[in-house]
Amino acid sequence: AGEALLVEYTVENTGALTDSQNSTLTVDGDEQRVDPAVTLDAGETADGEFTYTPGIGDTTGLTLVVGTADDTAGVDVSVTPP
């Protein structure tokens, strides 16, 4: 607990039209951060990152999920006390 976790992600517009969406970081089901909407042409990608610092009570495993309106990807991390 206490050390920042860096979550890097890439979003891709797999559709045939230009689209705009926000990317969201959720930790254990609670929304933590929302990146501003990015507009991508068909087939275009964009990279982003979130930083999350676990609190004192986060002394077990956490599930971090990055998502858009169309897709999500997650990872489980272990947090150990200092």
Side-chain angles (χ1 to χ4, degrees):
E3 289 187 40
L5 302 170
L6 179 64
V7 181
E8 299 174 317
Y9 64 90
T10 300
V11 292
E12 178 181 9
N13 180 353
T14 59
L17 303 174
T18 299
D19 194 13
S20 296
Q21 291 190 14
N22 298 78
S23 296
T24 304
L25 173 66
T26 303
V27 178
D28 285 346
D30 295 323
E31 187 176 281
Q32 299 294 318
R33 307 270 189 280
V34 178
D35 272 358
V38 63
T39 301
L40 299 174
D41 292 330
E44 191 174 27
T45 62
D47 297 324
E49 63 182 41
F50 290 110
T51 302
Y52 177 75
T53 303
I56 297 298
D58 295 327
T59 57
T60 60
L62 298 173
T63 300
L64 287 81
V65 176
V66 174
T68 65
D70 296 325
D71 199 9
T72 61
V75 64
D76 293 324
V77 297
S78 295
V79 178
T80 56

